Amino acid sequence: MSSVTIDDINPKVLKCEYAVRGEIVNLAQRLQQDLQENPGSHPFNEILYCNIGNPQSLNQRPITFFREVLALCDHPAILDKSETQGLFSADAIRRATEILDQIPGRATGAYSHSQGIKGLRDTISAGIEARDNFPADPNDIFLTDGASPGVHMMMQLLLSSENNGILCPIPQYPLYSASITLHGGTLVPYYLDEATGWGLEMSELKKQLEDAKSKGINVKALVVINPGNPTGQVLSEDNQRDIVEFCKSEGLVLLADEVYQGNVYVPEKRFHSFKKVARSMGYGETDIPVVSFQSVSKGYHGECGKRGGYMEVTGFRPEIREQIYKLASVNLCANISGQILASLVMCPPKPGDESYDSYNAEKEDVLSSLARRAKTLEDGFNSLEGITCNKAEGAMYLFPQLHLPQKAIEAAEAAKSAPDLFYARRLLDATGVVVVPGSGFRQVPGTWHFRCTILPPEDKIPAVVNRLTEFHKAFMDEFRD
Amino acid sequence: MSSVTIDDINPKVLKCEYAVRGEIVNLAQRLQQDLQENPGSHPFNEILYCNIGNPQSLNQRPITFFREVLALCDHPAILDKSETQGLFSADAIRRATEILDQIPGRATGAYSHSQGIKGLRDTISAGIEARDNFPADPNDIFLTDGASPGVHMMMQLLLSSENNGILCPIPQYPLYSASITLHGGTLVPYYLDEATGWGLEMSELKKQLEDAKSKGINVKALVVINPGNPTGQVLSEDNQRDIVEFCKSEGLVLLADEVYQGNVYVPEKRFHSFKKVARSMGYGETDIPVVSFQSVSKGYHGECGKRGGYMEVTGFRPEIREQIYKLASVNLCANISGQILASLVMCPPKPGDESYDSYNAEKEDVLSSLARRAKTLEDGFNSLEGITCNKAEGAMYLFPQLHLPQKAIEAAEAAKSAPDLFYARRLLDATGVVVVPGSGFRQVPGTWHFRCTILPPEDKIPAVVNRLTEFHKAFMDEFRD
């Protein structure tokens, strides 16, 4: 057998966990294969992946305009063929031509500048300016293969020992815990308050920072996920101001995960970028380091497979910027299709453009349907005995709490399983619905949750609610104290 | 000013170097801007980037069939439109349809399996089998955004302290030194023998391994780059057998950088994958861990901007494989266009397919032109006083040695610059030609080299040789002892 044993492996890798694609998903993949090979072998005929924010895997269609532009940039040879006029919208042809003109030699197959194609960064910063009403600088944009590599890059930059800490919300998106573990730092948790709709309390932030300091941890940065993942809350602007003030006074880098900025479902809430909030408080470029992460994977477009995204890096000294640039350079550049898509997302068709009406209809279809799905699932969960579920104001998830009977907890212990994992496994076995146990996101000790996306196709939502309800009732009947 | 100072930064990041996009390239970008703003301000009217293997940035056209398939997969809605028949070749339409049928829900905008889309991995492993005449397993394929993330993943897996070493060729591609530095390990150098055309001597490997062991370094793996980067040599099968035997007897993981497998220019040499060599020696899956890295960026296609690639991971215990899978999962998946392109590269059109003749003509055009360009540049370098240059048997680079006069070395010292950096900077200022100083790849101490790609468009090669010649003669006249 191979000479490499588990003792040869980097212990940070061994320690790292990533529940979104963890044990439950592996089990689901085995069940799916089983269903293919032995139809009828389970009490359901399909696996419904509610574990991950992956809209197009659940039949969401891509935005036509975006795909037209991508196809034309992939094969520019057809741009001036007459058939192309019949197949593609006029503004997609125009946009593709503009983008190609911004790429030296129109070479979509060449490595770009390490931060991404300059013309696309110009477009993105113009989109940020239009969103925020404050200036944005194309030299602050680093295009990345989705948001994850940007997060890894910042963790790699800031963390060099377990005495270096990063304040992270709990519950958190497990990319953060995984990345902090891989880079050898310490996750300093601050707990969101479930009772106030996953509120972010300043007193909790201060308490946890002091606590970390007293343990000798040098806290470098604060992660905020807004809209929240897995929690779905949208922060108020007041709350954001407090957070900015806190980072300013404590000298923390503000790492703002803003990948769900396009996913807000309630009329009383709006997305505000942290950079905009900081600027509106009078803090300029030299006052506070803020990094905003954006992705093409989320929003109404949900282009996860394209791996596009960017980080807007502001408020760092030039010598630190140089280090970030070097890290970007080692990986050469983000994929060009993802770069193009990031520019389209930040600068979609405008009223008057040939595609605008169809684009806008596609967009509104998705967003209004997501809002309805979120509400139906939320109501479904809240109607169940022993489940309480906050509102999904934004993002793509619900994070219901399971108030489990003692007997269920004991059964889980007997099965050497955390109670939420036990529940999620039973749920999968009975219904084919894949959710992620709350422990993957961390949670207040002694509480149990799971994350469920709001992404199943709308016509399947009633069936999903029925399956969940039926399972949950049987589960409670089995374990009720 | 921002609270984050250079002392807050991970020292491994500060230490990391990546010369391919280092100082000379930054200078070139400034010169390019200068030329745009003040035409005629320099003795040349364009910057010629010979620093990086980026063929399409130097006017190489993409392979039409590949781009047709990518465009159709990006915008499947046009697949059944009548105009599409006129715009795309019949086999591209067929292939795109096949690929879409392999993707659940035809969703090219969904995250895939963490290792990549299963159907594409089937195609890739069939391509490997056809290449090697030995079995390949789709479950061994991990699709990646270019080869670099695969290399980082393996370094992250294997390295946890500076007592962990990786044997690397010197000169090496600086991704390896950068990645080893970032992951906190030690690069254990073995020197390629310039006098024998960058030969890989077993005695040198053994000597360096023993030397590292005597310093308490636990050497985990051996990196071999074949065809060589920056050195351009193609290993003989005999030599490869010795290397496999060495890894087997020393318990080393063999990390085989085989991204230039499609770039062999001399009739007397052929590419053999290390896995094939190991299998032909009778070593099976459980005998020796071999990781083969492949990329869509190189070969005759040169699709750098698409960031596609894979690693074939063989010979690891299941519990180690699980760790590799976990690392892949944390980054969700490689971009789908890159995944598709990797499958096309490993399974291009076949004789009889509608596109075969044009595909093959495009491919042979590129490869025969690269061979001619390599020869002309090599002859050009060898005709110069004080330069010796080995043959580019493969890959995309020449790595000539500069035998500099003492006066030039002193002038460099006076300018606080390494002599090869001094030369490269003067070359850039005088000609606009961008090369990478040998120190970025490491070299035998006291020797000086630079890496120059063979990628300038063929019609510009005579002018490049003239500019290099003129510059070099003037340089020698200035500094001749």
Side-chain angles (χ1 to χ4, degrees), chain B residues 76-259:
Chain B
I78 63 172
L79 264 177
D80 50 6
K81 298 279 174 64
S82 61
E83 293 97 328
T84 303
Q85 316 286 332
L87 280 178
F88 293 85
S89 62
D91 52 340
I93 296 174
R94 209 164 54 239
R95 180 72 76 94
T97 307
E98 286 165 15
I99 289 172
L100 289 164
D101 287 344
Q102 292 169 337
I103 303 177
R106 303 186 131 209
T108 53
Y111 295 127
S112 71
H113 184 280
S114 302
Q115 289 184 232
I117 292 161
K118 174 61 165 58
L120 301 178
R121 288 187 279 129
D122 290 341
T123 305
I124 289 169
S125 54
I128 295 172
E129 289 188 356
R131 182 193 70 194
D132 291 349
N133 249 321
F134 283 97
D137 184 344
N139 293 321
D140 292 343
I141 307 297
F142 288 74
L143 282 147
T144 49
D145 291 312
S148 304
V151 170
H152 285 308
M153 221 184 284
M154 292 309 300
M155 294 302 173
Q156 189 158 46
L157 185 83
L158 294 171
L159 298 175
S160 46
S161 83
E162 54 187 18
N163 292 329
N164 298 153
I166 305 284
L167 271 161
C168 284
I170 301 296
Q172 51 106 30
Y173 175 49
L175 168 67
Y176 293 96
S177 50
S179 188
I180 291 168
T181 302
L182 286 173
H183 292 104
T186 293
L187 187 153
V188 178
Y190 64 91
Y191 288 88
L192 301 174
D193 183 17
E194 188 165 7
T196 58
W198 301 112
L200 200 166
E201 307 291 334
M202 299 314 296
S203 55
E204 166 71 6
L205 267 186
K206 282 174 194 151
K207 192 187 93 183
Q208 297 291 355
L209 177 64
E210 289 316 312
D211 187 48
K213 281 185 186 171
S214 74
K215 292 175 182 155
I217 294 171
N218 177 5
V219 178
K220 301 287 194 86
L222 169 71
V223 170
V224 183
I225 310 174
N226 180 46
N229 175 6
T231 42
Q233 85 285 22
V234 178
L235 296 178
S236 73
E237 215 177 336
D238 275 354
N239 203 176
Q240 289 185 273
R241 275 193 213 100
D242 291 341
I243 294 164
V244 169
E245 200 55 58
F246 176 76
C247 288
K248 172 70 186 157
S249 68
E250 299 292 348
L252 299 175
V253 176
L254 177 47
L255 300 174
D257 181 335
E258 299 180 327
V259 303

Side-chain angles (χ1 to χ4, degrees), chain B residues 357-389:
Chain B
D357 288 342
S358 63
Y359 154 78
N360 201 48
E362 289 175 353
K363 171 182 167 177
E364 291 307 324
D365 255 15
V366 170
L367 289 175
S368 60
S369 170
L370 285 175
R372 288 191 299 271
R373 285 180 259 175
K375 186 77 179 75
T376 306
L377 282 166
E378 175 202 323
D379 290 346
F381 285 131
N382 278 322
S383 74
L384 299 178
E385 177 191 1
I387 290 192
T388 52
C389 182

Side-chain angles (χ1 to χ4, degrees), chain A residues 64-73 87-89 92 355, chain B residues 75:
Chain A
T64 305
F65 176 81
F66 293 175
R67 292 307 193 95
E68 286 182 321
V69 176
L70 287 184
L72 291 168
C73 290
L87 280 178
F88 294 84
S89 63
S355 289
Chain B
H75 192 36

